[in-house]
Each structure stands twice: as structure tokens, then as C-alpha cells.
Amino acid sequence: MFDINTVIRPSIKNIKSYHVWRDIFLDKENILFLDNCENNYGSPLGKGQERYPSSSQATLKIKLAAFKQLSPKQLVLGNGSDELIDLLMRAFCEPTKDAILISEPTFGMFRIYAQLNNIEVINVPLLQHTFLYDLSAIQNAITPHTKLIFICSPNNPTGSSLPLNELIQLAKNVKGIVVVDEAYIDFSSHPSALTLLNELPNLVVLQTFSKAWGLAGLRLGVAYAHEAIIEVLNTIRPPFNISLFTQQQISLALDKAEVRLAFIESILSDRKKLSALLPTFSFVKRVVPSDANFLMIEVNDAERLCAYLQAHSILISNRSSLLNCNNFVRISIGTTAENLRLLNVLAQLDANPNVT
Ligand code: PMP
């Protein structure tokens, strides 16, 4: 049985969070705030932004929890899911002693934050051709010091997923925490692991407003987990990590959630069309099946393709430096008009391979 006391860093156990008691007064009229060394005249932008934002983030948390049909105690907000990845490592991995497990090629920030925190990275590569998770190899590689196992599903940059039944099997067989990064879940044919939160006390699900919601500029990531894990992350997060603007704007976006569904529909429809059309180009060797809002494509010369597209003011991502990804590029699915523009420029290259 999972016991949070066996995974939390001893030095974190006794931290008391930076106490902010004034949140309940923020929306009240006629309060004279002389408690937090702010500028009560306002700012060059006028009045309204001179106060620190809500530290408890209660209003937004209650709204988001209701949207997800969970309790506010089951979530913590981060300045992008990037911040939550870092917080997870700082909460549970003792530098120079503990390890995280990842399966490369995957999202680069897992390794970067581990390095930043001086935590060992155990890499169990995705299977070479299919880019699927190698579950038995993962289980064999886990040691008592493997505190966090990162599963990126759908995975960036491959677009591949781990089915929920395999996730359950993994989480039930390990003593550490299984972190499922679901940044791209809205584009997936697989259901979210959020449905497993009550069943798996060692599960953390990361989601973000940067992808399907189209709000990358606001920087809001969310970690969903059992209360015991959330309590630890809430204790150690910076007290004002979510700006006033972000809290307000995300709250407004939640009132218009249906807009996001239309985006997803178009993106999925175009993903299907692009997946069928791209292999018809002579320079495309293979399109990896994708559950995300991008396609990973094997081409005959990734560097040349990226340079050609850049010369036509189209940016794609050369993923060649990643493990087993030589001559792979990752292309985001744009708007339908943008996808047509991409296809036209690619068709020109196909018709005349010497074009620049
Ligand atoms: N996880 C994955 C798998 C990602 O691809 C990204 C961003 N590319 C993130 C997390 C970071 O998301 P955020 O913008 O919420 O920090």
C-alpha cells in the first residue's frame, strides 16, 4: 500500500507553508490594506492590480474542481505544468540519492528539472519503432530510490499513449508516485487517468491550459492527485505563483469551455487529413500515429526540410537530436488554413526536390 511518508523528503515534512491570511478580505469593500507593503496609489496602469493575488486561489480552484467533478482538495495550480514538474521533484526526490524514471524520447523538461535538482534520471527508452512504453522494462528498472515515474500520455514528441489498464498495473506495482503528464489528453482517443484518482493513491495527473484551451500565454498547469500529495505540493509552492490576471482569465475561460470543443474537433479532423496526405510526399518516410495535436514524421532529411520550410516562413520542430529520432520532425496541427498553407509549400518541394 502506498504511504506518502515513505516518499516525501524528510526536510520537506516539517515545512510550514508561508501563511497568507488576508485572502478572504480581497473582494470586500472598504478594507484598508496596510498589511503587505503594496502601493496603495495604484500603478502606471491605474488601479486594480496593486494587490498580491489570492494565495489560496480558492475561487478558481472551486470552479475548476466543479468543472472536473473533483474536490478542490484534489488539485494544485502551477505556473504552467512546468512548475508542477519541478515541485514534484523537490517534494519527493532527495538530491544525489533519489531518482526519477522517464522513457525517452519524451518531454525535455523532466530531465532538465531532474538535473537542476541533482536527481538521477533512469531512462527506459520507448520501444524503438512503435514509440510505445516498455512496461516490463520500466518495472525492472525501478529501485527503492525511484520516487517518481513519469508517463507522458499522449507523449511529446511521439504522440503515443499508455492505455489506462497498463497504467493501473504499473501504479499498483510500484512504491513511488506515477506522474501522468496529460498535456495533450484533449486530443486523445484514450480516456483521462483522472478517473483513477480515487483508486490509485500514488497517481498524479498533470494537465495544462496551454494546449487545447489555447491559453499558453497565461501559464496555468494543474496537478490532480490524492489529498495527501496535494497538501505537500500546496505547502511548498510559491504563495503567489498564479497571477491575478491568470486567475481571472482562466475563470472566464471555464465559462466558455464549449469553444475549446470546437477547436479540438477541427484539430482532430485536420490531424486525420494530414496523417493521410503527408505520406504521399516523396520525402516523408512515415507518420507516427498520434493522439496529440501534432504529428511526428520521419523524413529523408530533417535539417533540409526544416530549413526549406523556414525559408517559407513556416516553423516546425526538428527532433533529430532525441533518442531514436534521427530525421524525425514534429509538426503542430495549425488552423485549417495554416495546414493548407503548409501542404501547398510541401507540395512545391515534392514537385521540385531542388527548390529552396
Ligand atoms: N508537458 C508536456 C508533455 C508538454 O509538451 C508541455 C509543453 N510543451 C508541458 C508539459 C508544459 O506545459 P505548460 O505550458 O503547462 O508548462
Side-chain angles (χ1 to χ4, degrees), residues 80-82 85 107 152 156 181 183-184 208 210-211 219-221:
S81 28
D82 278 354
I85 294 167
F107 181 46
C152 192
N156 176 5
D181 186 334
Y184 302 97
T208 177
S210 299
K211 309 298 173 183
R219 313 301 302 126
L220 193 80

Side-chain angles (χ1 to χ4, degrees), residues 125-332:
L126 296 177
L127 294 168
Q128 202 163 346
H129 186 76
T130 56
F131 293 117
L132 296 176
Y133 281 92
D134 189 345
L135 221 53
S136 59
I138 288 177
Q139 278 179 355
N140 287 336
I142 288 170
T143 75
H145 289 296
T146 314
K147 296 289 184 66
L148 299 173
I149 298 139
F150 282 91
I151 300 290
C152 192
S153 184
N155 184 46
N156 176 5
T158 58
S160 39
S161 298
L162 182 72
L164 285 196
N165 60 337
E166 294 185 35
L167 176 68
I168 296 170
Q169 192 194 330
L170 174 68
K172 286 196 166 159
N173 277 306
V174 298
K175 291 208 162 60
I177 293 173
V178 177
V179 183
V180 184
D181 186 334
E182 290 192 346
Y184 302 97
I185 192 66
D186 289 317
F187 308 104
S188 177
S189 52
H190 293 265
S192 164
L194 279 185
T195 52
L196 304 172
L197 277 191
N198 293 332
E199 189 184 336
L200 301 171
N202 60 337
L203 175 69
V204 173
V205 179
L206 297 180
Q207 293 188 352
T208 177
F209 280 80
S210 299
K211 309 298 173 183
W213 286 91
L215 294 167
L218 292 182
R219 313 301 302 126
L220 193 80
V222 191
Y224 300 92
H226 199 270
E227 268 185 61
I229 292 178
I230 294 302
E231 217 176 286
V232 176
L233 297 175
N234 247 326
T235 301
I236 67 165
R237 73 172 165 82
F240 303 110
N241 64 332
I242 310 300
S243 75
L244 174 68
F245 186 66
T246 298
Q247 293 190 41
Q248 290 172 338
Q249 292 296 107
I250 296 284
S251 190
L252 292 177
L254 285 168
D255 292 334
K256 300 180 179 176
E258 71 288 349
V259 176
R260 159 185 142 273
L261 297 178
F263 294 148
I264 295 169
E265 202 178 303
S266 296
I267 290 166
L268 293 187
S269 158
D270 279 7
R271 184 180 77 193
K272 197 170 167 194
K273 286 182 197 148
L274 283 170
S275 301
L277 281 170
L278 287 170
T280 64
F281 295 125
S282 56
F283 47 83
V284 173
K285 289 188 175 167
R286 176 161 83 100
V287 177
V288 180
S290 172
D291 275 327
N293 64 341
F294 53 78
L295 291 170
M296 181 144 104
I297 294 157
E298 188 179 7
V299 295
N300 56 11
D301 187 341
E303 206 175 311
R304 188 162 173 265
L305 180 67
C306 291
Y308 167 78
L309 287 174
Q310 195 171 327
H312 288 78
S313 303
I314 296 176
L315 306 183
I316 62 167
S317 178
N318 187 349
R319 302 283 77 200
S320 289
S321 63
L322 302 185
L323 185 67
N324 297 327
C325 290
N326 191 33
N327 281 324
F328 278 87
V329 296
R330 190 194 61 206
I331 305 180
S332 312

